[in-house]
Amino acid sequence: MPKVTVDGVELEVPQGATVLQACELAGKEIPRFCYHERLSIAGNCRMCLVEVAPGPPKPQASCALPAADGQTIRTDTAMVKKAREGVMEFLLINHPLDCPICDQGGECDLQDQAMAYGRSGSRFEENKRAIDDKYMGPVIKTSMTRCIQCTRCIRFSEEVAGVDEIGMLYRGEDSQITSYLENAVGGELAGNLADVCPVGALLQKPQSFETRPWELKKVPGIDVMDAVGSNIRLDVRQRQVMRILPRINEDVNEEWISDKTRHHVDALVRNRLDRPWVREGGKLRQASWTEALELFASRLKKAGDKVAAVAGDLLDAETMYAAKALLAGQGSTLLEGRQTGLDYDTSSLGAVAFNSTIAGIESADIVLLIGSNIRWEAPLIATRIRKVARKGGRVFAIGPQVDLGMKVEWLGDDLKLLGKLPKEAQDAFAKAERPAVVVGPGALGAGGFGAALALAGSLNLVRDGWIGFNVVHTAASRMAGIILGYAQKGGIADLEAAKPELVLLLGADEVSADRFKGAFKVYIGHHGDAGARQADLVLPGATYAEKHGTYVNTEGRVQRGEKAAFPPGEAREDWTILRAVSELAGNKLPFDSFADLRRQMIAAHPELGREGLIDMPWSPPKLSAKAEGAVRYPIGDFFLTNAICRNSPTMQRCSEELVRGVQFQEAAE
């Protein structure tokens, strides 16, 4: 390891580290605009200048200079100070004084570094240049006169998002960044462009001129739009969640989130259920809580043990546990969370988990995707697999061909390929040190789980310190639901065959309306979506942002989200509804607070009590390895996968423009 001296402090740095990284290891702050820890090095803003000896007697860009043994680095000399002031002066020559009206104000790297490293005034009096704003789609708003050509957005879209649609035109003072033919930027990670932009050139269009950062209360949360469990920050003003930003978690989402995670926020105040409704004569009418709960309780007592519960995709573990306890008091175990009819074997938790871990999949040298449109099912896992492809690893896939934003070798779309992979793929797996298979919902729905499990042996996926068999789920509640018993052997068909008299739909909006005919349906949810339209009794609940909750992601990682706001109107947290009706039904649940509920859940399921990865031994069930038939991806529209998204104007616009190809004409300003 090279030894360097930074401002008189000698230290060892890792082989291959840059001078900038060496300075940070020594505790020195180095200003930068173009450098980003997760992107390739551009070295074009020159803000990170330092003095290095041996070397030429001039400041050098520390981000692009490798640290070498014996270097003496100075970050605080007069030469460095003057050089940084000069760079900042050049950057501000054409930058407009938009700070009072710029949405980046208060969170702007250029503001902060101009104060810390800039001069008190400028010596330039020339007219500032101006550039026309570009159209980049429904998510990103541009103000290109503010752009400082750091090229972070170009590198992010190409290297992380897999969408090579942004580039730089012209040279010198005429340089400008634009999308290809000035069309909307595709993909599902475009919102991160505004995060990587160090100035106010790229901003979140749906949140323009809505808030200032110092007005917002910041609450940590967990994303429920997919099963990755991205760590997010809910920014709240008064009673409303105004925006969602990523929190850094190297093991899960790094520092990125999908557009669906970021921009569904406008649906949290739209089309909300805020009072109970009872169906009479085929039509819903408003009701009081007293009337609604008494009707629920009477129907519950009348049904006896003929009660079933279906958990929705966005549900927290505590609500599922409370519903399970309510049904246990009735003598029923009819629980299911796979709303659309999936019925794969769940007897081994390890066999249905993402065993290599989300961060660990990066170290695989070959990946086989089986029935998985990973880009839509788990965008933040797709970014990890994209790294495998960029490092030279091979990615094979079985399923209908789609653009995954990386080089993929498609083998076909028939599951019979699992019985005998093409020789090229077999040879590649035989040479691999860390092979991985990713089974998606398309394969699970087509009955390919047993055949995929058989590959664990034939491809030697399980080795010392490595389990390369992975399952990708699409529902945030799926893993916790399996732990809590929300999985019948035959799926939701088993519930229907039991002919329940009362069906409890817990935010379950994907259940087909022609199921459970003749049963009394009670819907506890937050939006007037498909579940409410088929229910006989509608009780307003809380979204994930309006309650504390425990979630288990697809790799078996237990995480907790915090309550950021209150439910609207007369809506209540889901567990309180279940607790109230249990008392009216004469079978009172044994908890009076959320803390009691969580304590009892942890006592019954200790694995949910500790944040982090659950210990899941590899013990796959013995299933038939025979499978054939074409694979179909279950997600037809990335932006409209759940009740919250379907009620979001931003998600509807993204769906129309980016999925269905509708063109919108923008008015000239």
Side-chain angles (χ1 to χ4, degrees):
M1 291 173 62
K3 280 188 177 180
V4 300
T5 303
V6 180
D7 290 343
V9 178
E10 188 177 73
L11 72 156
E12 286 188 348
V13 298
Q15 192 68 41
T18 63
V19 168
L20 186 150
Q21 291 168 327
C23 292
E24 290 194 330
L25 287 172
K28 300 295 179 180
E29 181 182 348
I30 303 296
R32 83 289 298 269
F33 291 113
C34 68
Y35 176 79
H36 193 284
E37 291 81 356
R38 302 183 200 281
L39 305 176
S40 59
I41 294 170
N44 56 6
C45 79
R46 320 310 286 180
M47 194 64 205
C48 63
L49 295 173
V50 295
E51 197 174 340
V52 181
K58 63 177 184 179
Q60 299 189 62
S62 60
C63 69
L65 184 66
D69 198 46
Q71 279 179 335
T72 300
I73 304 162
R74 297 301 302 270
T75 69
D76 55 2
T77 63
M79 179 196 292
V80 170
K81 182 176 183 294
K82 184 178 180 181
R84 290 176 180 172
E85 287 177 351
V87 170
M88 181 59 69
E89 197 172 0
F90 279 127
L91 288 173
L92 294 176
I93 287 175
N94 287 311
H95 197 81
L97 190 59
D98 279 350
C99 301
I101 59 148
C102 178
D103 277 324
Q104 195 80 353
E107 299 174 319
C108 179
D109 290 350
L110 190 65
Q111 274 185 336
D112 296 341
Q113 294 184 39
M115 291 294 293
Y117 302 101
R119 292 166 53 93
S120 58
S122 174
R123 292 168 289 180
F124 293 92
E125 297 178 355
E126 287 78 9
N127 293 331
K128 292 179 182 285
R129 71 166 188 171
I131 300 176
D132 291 340
D133 292 345
K134 313 298 181 185
Y135 181 70
M136 289 194 178
V139 166
I140 293 297
K141 173 190 173 185
T142 63
S143 182
M144 301 312 295
T145 302
R146 300 171 188 158
C147 179
I148 60 170
Q149 288 86 44
C150 70
T151 69
R152 279 188 185 182
C153 54
I154 298 173
R155 287 173 283 145
F156 170 83
S157 61
E158 180 181 350
E159 298 165 14
V160 179
V163 181
D164 195 4
E165 294 181 359
I166 301 178
M168 181 178 284
L169 298 178
Y170 315 126
R171 301 178 65 185
E173 189 183 24
D174 296 324
S175 297
Q176 55 181 284
I177 286 172
T178 182
S179 59
Y180 181 63
L181 296 181
E182 297 196 19
N183 286 340
V185 176
E188 52 291 319
L189 298 170
N192 295 288
L193 291 170
D195 284 351
V196 299
C197 182
V199 294
L202 302 179
L203 299 164
Q204 307 293 352
K205 183 179 284 187
Q207 291 146 22
S208 293
F209 306 122
E210 290 288 329
T211 62
R212 284 299 199 179
W214 52 84
E215 301 173 333
L216 305 173
K217 181 180 74 173
K218 302 166 179 61
V219 181
I222 301 298
D223 172 43
V224 297
M225 295 295 113
D226 55 33
V228 175
S230 299
N231 287 216
I232 57 176
R233 193 184 86 195
L234 302 160
D235 284 2
V236 186
R237 184 174 65 191
Q238 296 176 1
R239 292 177 63 105
Q240 183 177 346
V241 179
M242 300 302 295
R243 67 175 182 179
I244 295 174
L245 295 175
R247 284 187 293 131
I248 295 176
N249 188 323
E250 301 293 347
D251 295 325
V252 183
N253 58 304
E254 298 179 290
E255 61 182 83
W256 320 121
I257 53 175
S258 74
D259 293 347
K260 184 164 61 175
T261 300
R262 188 186 299 268
H263 290 302
H264 73 261
V265 67
D266 54 2
L268 297 179
V269 293
R270 284 175 170 82
N271 199 22
R272 290 297 302 273
L273 298 173
D274 60 358
R275 67 200 68 183
W277 297 79
V278 175
R279 190 175 299 277
E280 286 183 355
K283 293 185 178 180
L284 289 172
R285 67 163 177 85
Q286 294 184 32
S288 66
W289 269 110
T290 302
E291 180 188 359
L293 289 174
E294 286 176 351
L295 174 61
F296 189 2
S298 67
R299 287 285 187 165
L300 196 62
K301 287 190 283 189
K302 181 181 175 183
D305 63 352
K306 289 287 188 178
V307 183
V310 182
D313 292 348
L314 314 181
L315 220 54
D316 57 291
E318 286 84 358
T319 299
M320 287 189 282
Y321 179 78
K324 180 182 179 181
L326 179 67
L327 265 65
Q330 298 290 123
S332 172
T333 58
L334 296 176
L335 306 168
E336 184 55 69
R338 296 166 294 181
Q339 307 174 62
T340 54
L342 293 175
D343 61 352
Y344 51 87
D345 190 298
T346 59
S347 58
S348 169
L349 191 62
V352 294
F354 204 88
N355 289 287
S356 68
T357 71
I358 293 172
I361 194 70
E362 286 184 24
S363 62
D365 43 15
I366 184 170
V367 178
L368 171 62
L369 302 171
I370 305 173
S372 175
N373 180 0
I374 193 72
R375 183 170 171 178
W376 279 9
E377 293 156 6
L380 277 307
I381 295 179
T383 62
R384 307 277 190 168
I385 298 176
R386 219 164 270 136
K387 291 182 186 179
V388 175
R390 287 185 63 232
K391 289 187 291 188
R394 299 180 72 176
V395 179
F396 295 94
I398 295 174
Q401 291 195 28
V402 291
D403 180 13
L404 296 180
M406 59 184 128
K407 183 181 178 182
V408 178
E409 300 174 56
W410 294 92
L411 305 178
D413 66 352
D414 199 313
L415 286 179
K416 67 183 180 182
L417 286 164
L418 296 177
K420 187 177 181 181
L421 291 174
K423 188 174 185 306
E424 184 182 8
Q426 289 185 30
D427 292 345
F429 269 93
K431 298 173 186 175
E433 294 182 5
R434 294 169 80 87
V437 164
V438 177
V439 182
L444 296 177
F449 186 44
L453 270 174
L455 294 178
S458 61
L459 299 182
N460 195 18
L461 300 177
V462 182
R463 309 179 181 190
D464 186 29
W466 174 257
I467 301 176
F469 184 83
N470 305 290
V471 174
V472 169
H473 299 293
T474 56
S477 63
R478 181 73 76 245
M479 288 295 282
I482 292 172
I483 293 169
L484 292 168
Y486 280 76
Q488 303 291 313
K489 188 174 182 181
I492 200 169
D494 278 8
L495 264 64
E496 196 170 16
K499 292 185 167 41
E501 295 179 16
L502 185 145
V503 177
L504 185 55
L505 301 174
L506 299 166
D509 291 282
E510 318 307 323
V511 177
S512 176
D514 59 4
R515 287 192 183 273
F516 305 111
K517 289 179 179 176
F520 186 82
K521 297 179 183 178
V522 180
Y523 177 76
I524 301 177
H526 36 74
H527 280 82
D529 204 71
R533 287 194 289 270
Q534 63 176 294
D536 300 295
L537 175 62
V538 178
L539 302 176
T543 65
Y544 75 99
E546 295 154 2
K547 57 186 175 182
H548 300 284
T550 300
Y551 303 91
V552 184
N553 74 354
T554 193
E555 63 179 346
R557 184 180 300 276
V558 178
Q559 302 183 108
R560 304 200 196 285
E562 302 297 325
K563 181 177 180 176
F566 291 92
E570 298 175 27
R572 302 180 179 180
E573 293 183 36
D574 305 6
W575 74 268
T576 64
I577 300 171
L578 299 170
R579 165 65 177 76
V581 78
S582 71
E583 189 167 4
L584 289 173
N587 197 0
K588 181 179 173 182
L589 291 175
F591 45 80
D592 296 319
S593 67
F594 181 81
D596 288 345
L597 167 58
R598 179 173 280 178
R599 196 159 34 245
Q600 291 189 28
M601 180 187 75
I602 292 171
H605 300 277
E607 62 270 37
L608 297 176
R610 184 178 61 84
E611 294 190 60
L613 286 172
I614 296 172
D615 183 26
M616 297 176 293
W618 175 251
S619 56
K622 289 181 170 54
L623 304 174
S624 170
K626 186 178 179 181
E628 60 180 349
V631 173
R632 184 181 65 85
Y633 301 133
I635 297 180
D637 190 329
F638 170 74
F639 298 100
L640 302 176
T641 53
N642 58 59
I644 297 179
C645 291
R646 287 190 288 269
N647 287 283
S648 164
T650 303
M651 291 296 97
Q652 291 170 6
R653 172 74 182 255
C654 287
S655 170
E656 290 173 350
E657 189 165 356
L658 302 178
V659 177
R660 287 179 273 163
V662 178
Q663 291 190 336
F664 291 88
Q665 292 187 345
E666 294 285 316
E669 294 182 2

